[in-house]
Amino acid sequence: MSKFTIKDFKGVIPAAISVFDINEELDLDATKEFIDFLLSFDINGLYLTGSTGEGFLMKSEERIAEVEAVMEVAGDKVPVVVHVGNIGTKRTIELAKCAKDAGATAISSVPPFYWAFNSKQIFNYYKDIAEAVDIPMIIYNVPLAGLMSEEMIVELSKIDNIQGVKYTSTDIFEIPVIRDDIDKDFMIYGGADELASSNVLLGVDGIVGSFYNLFPDLFIQIYKNVKEGNVEKAYKLQRSAVVLITHIVRTGNMVAGIKALLREAGVNAGYARRPFINFYGEDQKILAKEVVELADKYELEDIKVIDILRKKFGK
């Protein structure tokens, strides 16, 4: 059983990568080392085996093994939410039960995808999972799996155990509407890295993101500056974040790019699984140099990974 409640799951939360070796095998020792790396930044929680964690490229047994390994390192330090989403309800419930047994604070899931499921089917998917496991559930509104309407989110919030939403849609104007239409205890998490500062301004309980693996200290600074009313400083940092994110995303291999930059900075983040295309050798160095150049252009300082890369490739 988790020592944390879902109310503790707030602040800056990386959607953690999964660490695979060069042969695409799950590396649990490196996983623990990477989680220690993230914890060194005083992050506020972890979100496991989601899209960034390449959860859909993993066997169920691998997802369970990763969660258990992470809980050994982080379970008593920060709340951990496990993404258990799968295309089938039965398999999702199996993963949800394993997450609970491992001591997760809560579970999360994208809506069922691929077959353009209708609203009733999506509602039943979440209802079945929430009723099968007595652990808080965070639903997930994300373009990759299909966005749900604000009305659907409100209806789902009425189900016992559904206690939050990870909101990765860019239509963030809906967040205050959701807050007004749902009980104030319902947790809302901003999921678009490019809108981190805006999400915090709108009053989300936490921000969960992919690039928090690479630049956790940058997003911690953004979060703190918004909370402290230093909006101009937060905007400057957010602008830098958007430029860096956009450059890496435009490579067409976001997850592989994050891992390549971490490796170049001396952090064992492993490699992405196919069909993602990894960066090797000179291509990895070129990407690192480009990131340093952009960081210099936008006067981005005191970001650990960038500072390491700047010593290697800066002028």
Side-chain angles (χ1 to χ4, degrees):
M1 178 180 293
S2 174
K3 64 178 283 189
F4 301 99
T5 72
I6 195 169
K7 293 299 179 185
D8 299 312
F9 193 66
K10 56 187 178 182
V12 180
I13 302 156
I17 59 171
S18 296
V19 184
F20 306 110
D21 65 24
I22 199 165
N23 297 313
E24 301 185 39
E25 297 298 326
L26 182 63
D27 188 334
L28 295 179
D29 289 335
T31 295
K32 293 176 183 179
E33 291 174 11
F34 183 71
I35 295 301
D36 278 332
F37 167 78
L38 290 178
L39 291 171
S40 72
F41 291 91
D42 293 326
I43 56 168
N44 303 117
L46 290 164
Y47 186 95
L48 304 182
T49 59
S51 307
T52 307
E54 300 174 74
F56 297 117
L57 304 181
M58 300 169 70
K59 299 175 184 177
S60 294
E61 294 80 6
E62 291 177 314
R63 292 170 72 168
I64 295 165
E66 177 176 329
V67 171
E68 291 175 344
V70 171
M71 292 304 297
E72 288 180 25
V73 176
D76 63 344
K77 296 181 176 68
V78 295
V80 177
V81 170
V82 178
H83 177 264
V84 297
N86 208 302
I87 195 169
T89 304
K90 185 175 185 297
R91 292 176 69 184
T92 300
I93 289 173
E94 290 170 353
L95 287 168
K97 290 178 177 178
C98 291
K100 180 193 172 183
D101 290 344
T105 301
I107 55 172
S108 182
S109 177
V110 296
F113 53 92
Y114 184 75
W115 267 297
F117 293 102
N118 62 37
S119 58
K120 183 62 175 176
Q121 291 166 324
I122 293 171
F123 183 89
N124 286 340
Y125 170 83
Y126 281 120
K127 184 173 184 290
D128 288 342
I129 299 162
E131 291 179 347
V133 186
D134 60 341
I135 184 173
M137 184 171 194
I138 298 168
I139 60 177
Y140 190 175
N141 210 30
V142 58
L144 286 171
L147 293 174
M148 296 177 286
S149 67
E150 189 263 340
E151 291 79 10
M152 169 69 88
I153 293 170
V154 171
E155 284 304 305
L156 286 168
S157 74
K158 298 174 184 178
I159 298 173
D160 288 343
N161 277 358
I162 293 184
Q163 298 182 28
V165 59
K166 183 171 182 279
Y167 194 91
T168 306
S169 170
T170 55
D171 294 335
I172 60 173
F173 61 84
E174 286 190 344
I175 288 175
V177 179
I178 293 170
R179 182 71 78 195
D180 286 344
D181 289 345
I182 299 178
D183 185 278
K184 61 181 172 59
D185 288 333
F186 192 76
M187 306 292 281
I188 302 178
Y189 303 96
D193 299 14
E194 298 89 339
L195 295 171
S197 59
S198 298
N199 274 304
V200 180
L201 277 168
L202 287 172
V204 297
D205 297 289
I207 49 175
V208 183
S210 306
F211 284 87
Y212 306 4
N213 290 281
L214 184 58
F215 309 128
D217 36 2
L218 173 56
F219 288 93
I220 289 170
Q221 287 185 44
I222 290 171
Y223 184 87
K224 287 183 176 178
N225 274 283
V226 175
K227 286 292 189 179
E228 293 169 1
N230 301 322
V231 178
E232 185 175 347
K233 175 65 173 177
Y235 169 76
K236 183 179 179 181
L237 291 167
Q238 183 69 65
R239 184 184 181 194
S240 301
V242 169
V243 170
L244 293 173
I245 291 168
T246 300
H247 184 76
I248 297 166
V249 168
R250 282 177 177 169
T251 67
N253 290 284
M254 182 193 79
V255 176
I258 289 171
K259 292 183 175 186
L261 290 165
L262 285 164
R263 290 197 308 273
E264 193 64 37
V267 180
N268 183 7
Y271 297 82
R273 277 186 167 170
R274 290 172 292 176
F276 290 121
I277 299 174
N278 283 292
F279 294 82
Y280 301 99
E282 191 60 28
D283 287 339
Q284 178 172 303
K285 294 184 186 302
I286 289 170
L287 178 62
K289 290 176 184 177
E290 291 169 344
V291 165
V292 169
E293 289 172 1
L294 287 171
D296 288 345
K297 179 179 179 180
Y298 287 88
E299 300 177 333
L300 195 56
E301 302 287 344
D302 299 321
I303 306 301
K304 184 170 184 177
V305 168
I306 290 174
D307 288 346
I308 293 170
L309 295 176
R310 187 177 275 129
K311 288 179 181 178
K312 293 180 70 172
F313 302 113
K315 295 179 181 178

